[in-house]
Amino acid sequence: MHRSALRPAPAASIHPRPLACVVAVVLATLVPFVSTGVTAARPLPSMSRAANPPSSWSTVSASTPGDFSQGSVFANMSCPSSTECLSAGYGYSTSASAYGDPMAEEWNGHEWSSLSVPVPASDTVDALACLSVSECWLGGGTEFSGAKPKALLLRWNGSSWKLDSHLKVSGYLSDVACPKPAFCLAVGWLENSSRAAHAIAEEWNGTSWAS
């Protein structure tokens, strides 16, 4: 399995991956959703369990970095509160890799702002889940360059993303879930020497990740 199967190549028209579309539809019923770099929406009353839901959808501008002039895609989003959402994906510039460069943003209840992602532009990190407003995880992997990719996890501390340097796992993490405090799961895959994909999984116990 190649990373190209997960990421569209830059073109005149950029379309999100099917999985990203499904995530978008589900999440749009709960929180403001940002589509390809331009808009966000609020839920209709019939779609929301909030006590006083908004009465209609409204457009919200996103702050996609200006260097992603060839297009951008938000692949995942997590909202630990009504005034805190984090979104991750990838964007295309004239110098971006064929798979796009990492991109992340934060919603503060009023507007979106761009965040720094401390990994090389060739890496991918768009599997996202939050435990609280001060603890979220962003998963992915290093660029496929002939060698086995290295799984990546970044931790959100309430103000910035920081790479977890203790994770020593080969492969690519395609999804993260955090169902309760001090407990998260990250899953993905790894190709063997014959290029067959095998599942991998990591567990967070509140202190460290373990296979």
Side-chain angles (χ1 to χ4, degrees):
M1 183 181 295
H2 291 285
R3 184 176 167 190
S4 57
L6 303 176
R7 182 63 54 82
S13 177
I14 301 297
H15 298 286
R17 290 168 286 181
L19 176 59
C21 296
V22 173
V23 171
V25 171
V26 174
L27 291 174
T29 67
L30 300 175
V31 293
F33 170 68
V34 176
S35 62
T36 312
V38 290
T39 61
R42 301 181 188 278
L44 292 170
S46 60
M47 295 181 178
S48 175
R49 296 180 180 178
N52 297 295
S55 59
S56 63
W57 294 91
S58 60
T59 299
V60 179
S61 297
S63 59
T64 305
D67 54 339
F68 290 146
S69 58
Q70 305 303 304
S72 56
V73 174
F74 282 115
N76 214 332
M77 181 171 65
S78 184
C79 295
S81 79
S82 60
T83 57
E84 174 73 7
C85 292
L86 295 173
S87 186
Y90 44 93
Y92 297 100
S93 65
T94 54
S95 60
S97 71
Y99 308 110
D101 294 344
M103 179 176 67
E105 296 207 3
E106 178 184 15
W107 170 260
N108 63 8
H110 302 284
E111 61 184 0
W112 289 93
S113 58
S114 298
L115 297 172
S116 173
V117 184
V119 296
S122 57
D123 294 346
T124 298
V125 281
D126 54 19
L128 176 62
C130 289
L131 281 162
S132 68
V133 295
S134 60
E135 185 174 5
C136 300
W137 290 96
L138 183 59
T142 57
E143 174 64 88
F144 287 38
S145 57
K148 289 182 178 179
K150 179 182 180 296
L152 296 174
L153 281 166
L154 292 87
R155 189 176 189 178
W156 174 257
N157 61 12
S159 60
S160 62
W161 287 107
K162 293 185 177 180
L163 184 66
D164 184 343
S165 59
H166 300 292
L167 185 70
K168 305 295 182 182
V169 179
S170 296
Y172 179 85
L173 297 174
S174 55
D175 205 359
V176 182
C178 298
K180 63 180 181 180
F183 179 71
C184 295
L185 292 172
V187 297
W189 52 271
L190 171 67
E191 285 186 355
N192 62 18
S193 57
S194 61
R195 303 182 73 174
H198 295 272
I200 59 173
E202 295 289 310
E203 179 180 339
W204 171 253
N205 61 13
T207 304
S208 61
W209 288 92
S211 299

